[in-house]
Amino acid sequence: MNDSLPRVRRRSAGSVLPVSLLLLVLLPLLLMPLAAIYIFAGSSGLAGFWEALRQPDAQFALRFSVLIAFATAIINGVLGTFAAYVLSKYRFRGREALLVIVNLPVAIPTVVVGTSLLLLWGPIGLLGRVLDPLGIQPMFMPAGVLLAHLFVTFPYMLGAVKPVLDELEVTYEEAAYTIGANRWQTFRFVILPALRGGLFAGTLLTFAHSLGEFGATVLVSGNLRLRTQTAPLYIFAQFEAGNIETANAVAAVLATLSFVLFLILQRFTQRVVERPS
Amino acid sequence: MSIVLTNLTKRFGRVLVVNNVSLSIPEGELFVLLGGSGSGKSTILRMIAGLTEVDSGRIELGGRDVTDLPPQARNVGFVFQNYSIFRHMTVAENVEFGLRIRGAPAAERQQRRDELLELVGLTGLGDRYSNQLSGGQQQRVALARALAYQPEVLLLDEPFGALDVKIRAQLRASLKEIQKRLGITTILVTHDQEEAFELADRIGLIERGSLIEVGTPQDLYYRPQTEYTAVFIGGGNVLVGRNVDNAISLGSVRLPFPEEAPVHEPGAPVRVMFRPETVVVKSSPDQMGQAHVLGRGRVIEQVFTGPARRMRLEIEGLQGVRPLVPPPAYGQLAAHIEALVPGSEAEAISSSAVGELWVGLTDYHVLAPTGPKILICSDGSAVDEAAAFGMRLARAAHGPATLLAVVPASGEVAAARARLESLIEQQGMQGHSQLVASVRQGIAHAEILTETQEGSYEMVVLGRSPDAAGRPLGIGTTGQEILAQARVPVMLVSSGRSTIERILICTAAGEPGKSDVLFGGRLARWTGAFATIFHVHAAGAPAHERTRSEKHLRQAQRSLEMLGVKSECAIGDGEPLRVILEKAEAGDYDLLVIGAPAPRVPQRFVWRDLATQIVAGTQRPVVVVPMQER
């Protein structure tokens, strides 16, 4: 009974003004732009929409984006979990500094990330200068795009898994040890299952961010169609060329994909919150 | 499987958490480690399980040395206070986990799981997850999980600490029953006395990392060996009396020594402990029956507790008796004692003559006398012979000791502490439970005197550095100040002897002392040394003086006999200083004991002179004992 009390109050007549004010602000800010994508995408009819999507460039861009996002999510899923485990369970010199560094990609503008990757791997970069003559050059290649995406999305996995690990009592592991499980068995049967929620959320976040990444990608990919052009780059290129409909069609697909991921994530986190631990 | 711990020691940084703990637990015993928070009891348990590394010492489980084995290889069952049930596994999966890790076939796992769930009373709950269980149920799962793979020992770390009182009682009963049925050697850690009493075959009391006492609950309750146990376990009364003519003198009250009482030296303090329920309170002395009468008393305070009434009583006859527990209030004259009087009797008392009560004891217990408490002052040199000698003495005497350094400035504290630690290590006494290092900042003699008083030490050991004039055997200003002001014996050491086998107790000339003989005797008892009581007659002393001092020497020898010290008497003639120094050289004594009158006695200069001259005249360690005023 007590729980329902504030809810009743929120529904009272007094809420009409603040709620409508909020909607008024959000309408041009968030809701209308989102709607615009779909309106424009469908402006030349379903046939035009399909036509735009059937173009080889568009197909490639979408497939390439999803592929890169998958690869990023898997690699960063493993790396991020490992980083979270080390940073959560071990106390060592420089741990604080390392914590700041691994979270840094969130704060750095993505264009700066792209630039710095070019300055490292590019033909005149620090490493590139040595590797380029040997025929190793990740920049303007799919590998370069992957590198950029790994960099930019690294903190998401860490952010999702580390809090769960921090919350996990030391005795949880110790219980497994005394029962006879070795380190690997403890990780595999005791820790990993406890991390399920964090792993899922982290992977999904990484995937979503990778799907939409633009700033770093545009610099390291060279924006080469049918080779390194991701969906966001394709949309940008089509806009620049004046093919607004084509751009919009791909944008609508990307937006839908993101919505779905977001909804899954939302549902999932809600379930975690509702389940008492 | 038996559990044997040998000299187990653990430090976290600079803090000594577990201090030289040795313990042997026979197969099938339920042993409870009892102690306050931060006492190190959990650390001991974790070391046995292999969850915390051992600094030094050894752990054996069933005769197998497991000190360096990882937890997985020790085959112990461990139950944590926070249950630590694996949340993503069902109850059944939790219980089976140990068997699954060991690769047991499914059929065996299921059978064992069902047995265990029945054992802990959770039959039918195998499919639940931990969030569908109450705290008590979760702890039952944890117990089943820890027993599933048939561990050699069961370790429980405050297992019922997070549960409410009623559930706790149920679980205790279950645990005791299960433990007895399986016959598994078990250690349970708790801070809860009631729990310890209810469960334990034996209890080990832990305080600041040291194992204070081990015994059955009855032993610890009725016959504790140490003051700490008497105070920590149950509400108790501890009064300090004195051994007078082989009886315990408590103010005007005399109590006989109980048969099992440890031997006390004549005149030594005797700590008498009795429990509140052994105090008898009646309205007239005729009703006392077999109880030992303490005398008339009055009620200071009383609380109704249901079946009994808890009273705080003031006893006339106990005026001037020092109570240890309950701690005396400021300005309190007579010792207060706690009594627990059955309800019906309490009603009878309060209805009869008001204020006129008689108090007696049906039972009391005498605590073991402790070794001397020694303050060892380091003179600041790297090879500190006085400190080394003092530490050897403290070790021989089994008494608590403090190694003290005084520095003039706060900046030198750390260096001084490091030096003390290295001195302790030179003596191989690191981790010794009764030896602590301490650094004070200020003027040397003032700080030493303050520490002596605050710590109620029984002796001060002081080094002799060359004095201002460069004489190697001078006493120095610090030494002089301490000799003049200290109320306890002061030992002056220039070069230490490796052992103390022969002690020369000089009663010198004039009025023969008693305190010097008794203290010399105690020193001899602690060190197992042979004592020579030596008296010097001034040249041309009258005959009646000689007979008197001979009589005194015989008495002194008898006193030493009572202490269990072997001794001889000797008499010298001539100038006391010269005769004593010659005697010391001739007998190659390891230690000289000499009495000096208390500072307020007028002839102090004469006497002090003899004492200081003896000190200055020999390289041997000398103890100057202040004479008690009469």
Side-chain angles (χ1 to χ4, degrees), chain A residues 13 18 25 47 51 54-55 64-65 74 76 161 200 223 238 249 273:
Chain A
V25 174
E51 183 54 39
R54 257 213 297 278
Q55 288 186 28
F64 184 58
S65 263
I74 289 168
N76 262 356
V161 173
F200 184 70
N223 202 1
Q238 293 302 314
V273 170

Side-chain angles (χ1 to χ4, degrees), chain B residues 2-6 21-27 29 31 60 185 187 202 211 214:
Chain B
S2 62
I3 302 171
V4 179
L5 312 180
T6 315
V21 167
S22 295
L23 182 62
S24 176
I25 299 167
E27 182 162 1
E29 186 171 81
F31 190 89
E60 284 164 74
T185 315
I187 302 183
R202 280 194 307 156
L211 191 61
V214 176

Side-chain angles (χ1 to χ4, degrees), chain A residues 160-205:
Chain A
V161 173
K162 189 168 170 291
V164 186
L165 270 175
D166 288 343
E167 286 287 296
L168 211 61
E169 306 91 358
V170 192
T171 55
Y172 215 69
E173 266 171 90
E174 289 177 343
Y177 293 154
T178 55
I179 290 169
N182 59 32
R183 266 179 185 272
W184 166 246
Q185 286 169 324
T186 303
F187 184 77
R188 169 70 191 79
F189 296 119
V190 175
I191 308 225
L192 211 54
L195 296 182
R196 271 186 309 200
L199 287 174
F200 184 70
T203 317
L204 224 55
L205 262 175

Side-chain angles (χ1 to χ4, degrees), chain B residues 346-384:
Chain B
E347 296 302 325
I349 297 163
S350 46
S351 62
S352 71
V354 185
E356 184 66 350
L357 292 175
W358 286 82
V359 183
L361 291 180
T362 53
D363 191 18
Y364 55 91
H365 173 72
V366 173
L367 302 182
T370 54
K373 198 172 174 196
I374 303 177
L375 180 66
I376 305 162
C377 305
S378 169
D379 62 6
S381 58
V383 187
D384 194 331

